[in-house]
Amino acid sequence: MIVFDYFVNLSIFSLLVSTPLVIRSFIIRRSLKQMRLWIGVYAGLVSVILVILSVKQQGYSYDIRYAPVILVYAYLGPVPGIIAGSFSLITRLLSGGNWLPAIIGWVINIAILTGLYKYVPRLTPFQKSAVLFGGYIVGYLCTVFTFQILIALPFFHAQYLIFVLLGVVIGGLLIESNERLRRIIAEKNYMEKTLEVSESQYRLIAENTSDLIVLMDKDYSVSYFSPSHEHVLGYIRSELEGVELCKFVHEDDVAMFRGAIKKMFANSESHAMEFRLRHKEGRWIEFESRCRPVVGEAGSIDHVVIISRDISERKKAEEFLLQSEKLSVVGKLAAGVAHEIRNPLTTMKGFLQLYKRENPSMRNSDLLLSELERIEMITNEFLSLAKPQSIQLTDTDLKELIEKTVEFLSPQALLNNIAFIRGFAGTQFPITCEKNQLKQVFLNILKNAMESMPGGGEIHINLRVEAEEEYVISIKDHGCGIPEELLPQLGQPFYSLKEKGTGLGLMISHRIIKQHYGDIAYQSKGNEGTLIEIKLPIRRGQLPN
């Protein structure tokens, strides 16, 4: 019957311990230590109920009221433990006799539990419960032997201590399981929030970066395209889903691209490469890509992350730098060659003219003189390129400058059956410039246009204002034209489409236009003539030397 009573006590005790823990998990998110005083009061009430359900044996009451007291000590410390113990003592005194053993036993146990608690600060609560229960056994035996309580029934005392131990173990397991579950839930919530913040940050980066981010599978299909593809390449996401990236790669780069991806899947090594991707409008854009393999759970490479950056502007800058280096080399070469050639050339030309005067019947003298004059002209172009030009800015009228250039070339144009058709969208076009240099540009371009029409024709010269910021001079001929693939090479040193050309005229023209902060562009096709557009800012206070 006593054992049955103990089991009833244990069952009720388990229910009383687990119920608030379950309610707390749904309602209150605070830890146990944040509610220590209230828990001490609740543990005292549990002790009261356990005292009411106590077992009577020869005038003595036995219960497991010290189980919640020990647990409160272990998890929350002496203050809540003393509160819980006080409730149990008061109830014990009100419910039965033998007050002196009860009071003395309570004092001994509380003193032992409080003293032990100070020496076990680094143990876990469950370990503290075991130590404190050992202290309780000592206090209990001291009380039993002091007051000679049922000395003849050691089995009774043993089973009582076992059931108090069961109460401590069961209560500790319930509290530990609930605390562990609470920590798991808290960690899960923290991880979810951290993951949400991380995903939000990565999404913000992916949606606002100008770099292209791609996640590629082993079959070259793409499982993720960053939103930047729409901004950079013009494709919306629905147009890219389920499509191989190789379909957008330039045909000359596909083999290299596939080989690099295959090598990364095989060797698990990062790789950098450059390739061209097709814009939705049809043009090609150059990209520099950093590719990194992604290792899966099985240790194999499941995906490759490709981050690509548009390097078109960088390529243009490199090309401009290369062009500047070429010009520098040409300038140094021109300075040396011109000085070495000019003096003997002058001597040869002078003696040839003198010899022709003395021998009028000399054959091929005119041909020799024309060739020498041609060499002299090339030498002068070298000097013009190598020698720093002193720039004298003046306010002039662009229309007047073009008219004087056309007037200068009109006799030659008349001989070749060429007509200049002028169209000026206005009467005055003021500009601050170095007029002799601009005149040289117009001369070079118009002479090239005339030479492209050996059978005669028309050259259209138009001048207009664009966006009230710059003048646009367009020169259109109907000559032999230039193949489109050769247009980017115009203006490079020593590149010319004419049989005896040097390419220096256009190169010098390009330099002059750049010095005036302008731009020059070509449109042409074979046998369809050429259109040259020169853009110059309307006002510019200072030009570089």
Side-chain angles (χ1 to χ4, degrees), residues 77-95:
V79 175
I82 293 173
I83 293 174
S86 300
F87 272 84
S88 66
L89 176 63
I90 294 171
T91 308
R92 166 69 181 78
L93 297 176
L94 294 176
S95 63

Side-chain angles (χ1 to χ4, degrees), residues 269-510:
E269 295 179 356
S270 300
H271 190 72
M273 57 182 168
E274 293 183 7
F275 55 85
R276 290 162 287 180
L277 291 176
R278 185 179 68 250
H279 192 276
K280 188 175 183 179
E281 297 175 355
R283 67 178 186 274
W284 296 98
I285 302 177
E286 291 189 78
F287 288 91
E288 179 183 58
S289 297
R290 301 284 180 180
C291 310
R292 185 180 297 275
V294 180
V295 181
E297 295 181 357
S300 60
I301 306 302
D302 297 333
H303 309 282
V304 169
V305 176
I306 304 175
I307 303 177
S308 305
R309 176 165 294 180
D310 183 357
I311 58 171
S312 301
E313 292 301 321
R314 193 184 80 185
K315 287 289 186 180
K316 289 180 181 178
E318 290 175 353
E319 185 179 348
F320 178 77
L321 180 61
L322 180 62
Q323 185 74 3
S324 299
E325 291 177 353
K326 286 182 180 180
L327 288 173
S328 177
V329 171
V330 169
K332 292 177 182 178
L333 177 64
V337 172
H339 286 293
E340 291 296 330
I341 293 177
R342 198 172 190 186
N343 290 335
L345 180 64
T346 303
T347 303
M348 291 171 60
K349 185 178 178 182
F351 275 100
L352 183 60
Q353 290 173 338
L354 182 60
Y355 188 74
K356 178 185 176 182
R357 187 182 303 168
E358 295 176 354
N359 300 277
S361 60
M362 176 183 175
R363 299 178 61 186
N364 299 324
S365 60
D366 292 336
L367 178 60
L368 291 173
L369 279 172
S370 66
E371 291 301 314
L372 286 174
E373 288 174 355
R374 171 172 159 72
I375 295 174
E376 186 178 25
M377 180 190 69
I378 295 173
T379 304
N380 290 333
E381 287 182 339
F382 270 126
L383 285 173
S384 174
L385 181 65
K387 182 181 177 182
Q389 302 292 311
S390 59
I391 297 178
Q392 297 180 353
L393 297 179
T394 57
D395 291 334
T396 188
D397 189 277
L398 195 56
K399 175 184 174 184
E400 182 181 349
L401 192 61
I402 294 174
E403 290 281 14
K404 289 182 178 179
T405 307
V406 171
E407 183 180 351
F408 178 77
L409 293 173
S410 292
Q412 184 180 350
L414 186 60
L415 291 174
N416 291 280
N417 197 26
I418 294 174
F420 293 110
I421 309 298
R422 283 153 285 186
F424 301 113
T427 55
Q428 291 184 336
F429 298 86
I431 187 172
T432 302
C433 66
E434 214 298 337
K435 61 180 181 180
N436 290 326
Q437 288 190 352
L438 285 186
K439 186 176 181 181
Q440 182 181 356
V441 172
F442 299 144
L443 280 172
N444 289 338
I445 294 175
L446 290 173
K447 284 175 68 176
N448 287 341
M450 293 168 62
E451 291 173 3
S452 70
M453 298 189 300
E458 295 179 347
I459 297 177
H460 294 265
I461 304 170
N462 295 295
L463 175 59
R464 69 180 188 276
V465 178
E466 189 169 277
E468 298 183 357
E469 295 181 354
E470 59 185 8
Y471 295 128
V472 179
I473 306 103
S474 61
I475 300 173
K476 168 73 174 168
D477 64 58
H478 298 86
C480 58
I482 305 170
E484 284 186 286
E485 62 272 15
L486 301 181
L487 292 177
Q489 301 181 53
L490 295 179
Q492 294 186 6
F494 306 113
Y495 181 81
S496 176
L497 298 175
K498 294 182 288 186
E499 183 179 353
K500 296 184 179 182
T502 63
L504 296 178
L506 272 184
M507 187 178 69
I508 293 171
S509 299
H510 275 242

